[in-house]
Amino acid sequence: MPRGQAVLDALVDLLDLEQLEVNLFRGVSPPHSPTRVFGGQVAAQALVAAGRTVPDDREVHSLHAYFIRPGDPRVPIVYEAERVRDGRSFTTRRVLAIQHGEAIFSLSASFQLPQDGLEHSVPAPTDVPPPLSLPDLGERVAAGKGVGWMSQIPRPLDMRFVTEPVWSPDRPGATDAPTQVWMRADGSLPDDRLLHVCLLTYASDLTLLGSVIARHDRQEVQMASLDHAMWFHRPFRADEWMLYSCHSPTATGSRGLATGRFTTEDGTLIATTVQEGLVRVPRK
């Protein structure tokens, strides 16, 4: 499938929402979309809508979102931003994504004026091979290794799996170890801080829920994102290598909880993710 700068530019264009009115924006889905809108896309577009109403000197530090209904990729999505609060240090926004007159997604995002304070972080993962020593998705396909649904769509991200992905027939079986993948935008991005955060938001939904499946032998499950949260700790560039380490601490009631950490190639923790998803075993 297509990859590289042209495909990345198409994703950047996808995130460049049309402004309909003050606080009102419209986005579309790519023509190669599956039967429902990809969750990372609607989350990233909603964050763009929120960011367009915030002063440039404030950066996203967290988001909390709910996936309410499946999105229809055949029609545009309207994003309605609400200016909840503009404080001296923090700005809060709510965004509702609407299709066919109904809400499909809701997002709350908080922005902060950069400030100095205490600094500490957990140690970076160890014994992880460097990204360029691992095959990309195209090389995996050429070697006869499965990449699942990702082989069916254009690839704006360069992804190098450290652990065998859960949909691969070569997966060794259930494990309590985290799933890990290196990723970066497959090309160059402009110096737009909001764009880099939105690209990371898009990427965060690609493999996170798979960590629930990694703890089990079976793959035949129905999965869908229910809610999603992110915290952005430090500046970063989405076109530089980031290691995404994901782990599922629990699953129950047809729901699975997944946590993730993004670290740069030098081991700096830049973002944390948490998601709960529907993980339903088909009835026999």
Side-chain angles (χ1 to χ4, degrees):
M1 295 299 295
R3 54 164 295 184
Q5 187 67 52
V7 178
L8 177 61
D9 290 344
L11 176 57
V12 172
D13 289 342
L14 193 75
L15 298 179
D16 188 16
L17 303 180
E18 176 189 2
Q19 184 162 4
L20 303 176
E21 228 327 332
V22 176
N23 303 330
L24 202 62
F25 304 86
R26 179 164 57 194
V28 297
S29 299
H32 53 74
S33 295
T35 56
R36 62 187 181 189
V37 175
F38 169 54
Q41 173 199 317
V42 68
Q45 288 180 331
L47 189 57
V48 169
R52 294 276 176 88
T53 70
V54 175
D56 292 338
D57 61 351
R58 304 194 174 208
E59 300 179 13
V60 188
H61 78 83
S62 68
L63 65 85
H64 301 262
Y66 283 92
F67 298 89
I68 302 170
R69 293 181 176 89
D72 182 352
R74 300 168 299 175
V75 300
I77 306 171
V78 174
Y79 296 93
E80 183 177 6
E82 179 186 357
R83 301 177 187 240
V84 178
R85 182 176 184 267
D86 291 287
R88 288 185 298 177
S89 299
F90 291 88
T91 295
T92 306
R93 295 291 184 261
R94 278 199 294 258
V95 178
L96 201 62
I98 302 168
Q99 279 188 322
H100 304 295
E102 296 181 320
I104 65 167
F105 177 86
S106 68
L107 171 97
S108 292
S110 183
F111 300 73
Q112 182 187 14
L113 191 69
Q115 296 173 315
D116 294 327
L118 300 176
E119 283 281 342
H120 70 267
S121 181
V122 296
T126 57
D127 299 324
V128 179
L132 293 181
S133 70
L134 300 167
D136 64 21
L137 294 183
E139 290 167 337
R140 286 182 62 88
V141 171
K145 292 181 176 289
V147 295
W149 61 271
M150 291 186 183
S151 64
Q152 310 298 319
I153 59 174
R155 299 193 297 270
L157 303 176
D158 187 351
M159 301 178 65
R160 313 285 178 115
F161 284 90
V162 178
T163 54
E164 200 66 23
V166 295
W167 54 79
S168 170
D170 298 323
R171 183 166 76 100
T175 177
D176 292 338
T179 62
Q180 295 178 314
V181 58
W182 287 103
M183 59 175 67
R184 66 177 176 183
D186 199 5
S188 299
L189 293 170
D191 296 330
D192 181 338
R193 292 173 297 180
L194 178 62
L195 176 63
H196 287 260
V197 170
C198 292
L199 256 294
L200 193 68
T201 302
Y202 175 93
S204 69
D205 194 38
L206 285 169
T207 61
L208 183 54
L209 208 54
S211 64
V212 178
I213 308 304
R215 300 198 61 177
H216 301 266
D217 286 325
R218 66 182 307 135
Q219 298 185 28
E220 301 80 15
V221 295
Q222 174 191 357
M223 295 198 302
S225 303
L226 295 174
D227 57 12
H228 193 82
M230 296 188 72
W231 293 264
F232 304 94
H233 311 303
R234 295 170 179 85
F236 64 91
R237 290 192 63 91
D239 51 5
E240 295 178 352
W241 286 113
M242 301 168 289
L243 178 67
Y244 196 20
S245 300
C246 303
H247 182 259
S248 174
T250 184
T252 185
S254 293
R255 303 186 318 275
L257 185 70
T259 64
R261 290 189 295 168
F262 282 99
T263 52
T264 60
E265 202 167 4
D266 66 3
T268 302
L269 178 65
I270 56 173
T272 300
T273 62
V274 178
Q275 182 179 102
E276 189 173 50
L278 175 73
V279 184
R280 183 174 289 157
V281 177
R283 295 178 180 177
K284 295 184 179 180

